[in-house]
Amino acid sequence: MQNIIFRKDDIVVSTALFKTARRSYRISDIEKIAIKRPLLWFSLPIAIGSFALLSSFQPYLYVHERWFCMAGMFLLPLMGWLIATLNVTSKAYTNDVAAIGYMPTLEAARNALDTVIFQANDKTNTVSNTDEE
């Protein structure tokens, strides 16, 4: 019987299955889980460029162009910080992007996955009294 540990949006973590909108993974096949922020690395050069443009050419820019540069400076890195990917390495998939979404949701899903995987490992590593005899 599967107990659902975590469910939010398209992500479901149960005791035997990890299901996303793209794929389903058996918990026993998952080897590694990682959360990455790939959009942050693309947004930082744009934010730095917007700052450089604003500081160098401010007297020559229209008001709406200044607002556009300020939005690029602040909103793009913020969005890059809050949007992340949950990567799963399993026996079948190597570093597969399982889910893309809001960082706190993916962190909660990762914590639920860690809990389920550690419980499964504890059950397999435990020696029962009948095995010792």
Side-chain angles (χ1 to χ4, degrees):
M1 181 174 160
Q2 293 185 18
N3 294 330
I4 294 178
I5 308 297
F6 177 81
R7 180 189 301 243
K8 181 119 185 204
D9 300 333
D10 292 336
I11 301 172
V12 177
V13 178
S14 69
T15 54
L17 191 69
F18 171 51
K19 184 179 180 302
T20 65
R22 303 171 110 197
R23 289 193 176 93
S24 296
Y25 304 88
R26 281 192 309 245
I27 295 293
S28 60
D29 291 343
I30 295 176
E31 297 172 352
K32 184 175 86 168
I33 306 158
I35 295 178
K36 297 180 181 178
R37 291 184 170 109
L39 295 179
L40 181 64
W41 303 113
F42 290 111
S43 66
L44 286 179
I46 297 171
I48 293 169
S50 295
F51 175 75
L53 182 71
L54 188 61
S55 63
S56 298
F57 297 106
Q58 185 175 3
Y60 308 110
L61 297 175
Y62 292 114
V63 174
H64 66 278
E65 292 170 337
R66 290 179 193 159
W67 283 107
F68 188 74
C69 287
M70 285 193 284
M73 279 177 16
F74 296 114
L75 294 179
L76 287 176
L78 180 66
M79 287 175 24
W81 183 258
L82 293 176
I83 297 173
T85 61
L86 180 67
N87 297 345
V88 173
T89 302
S90 69
K91 293 176 182 173
Y93 298 107
T94 303
N95 203 15
D96 184 38
V97 176
I100 299 171
Y102 187 53
M103 183 67 178
T105 302
L106 296 180
E107 283 178 336
R110 180 175 184 253
N111 290 337
L113 278 167
D114 285 342
T115 302
V116 171
I117 289 171
F118 288 139
Q119 286 175 355
N121 285 342
D122 285 344
K123 287 180 184 176
T124 59
N125 292 337
T126 304
V127 177
S128 66
N129 291 335
T130 58
D131 291 339
E132 292 176 357
E133 296 173 359

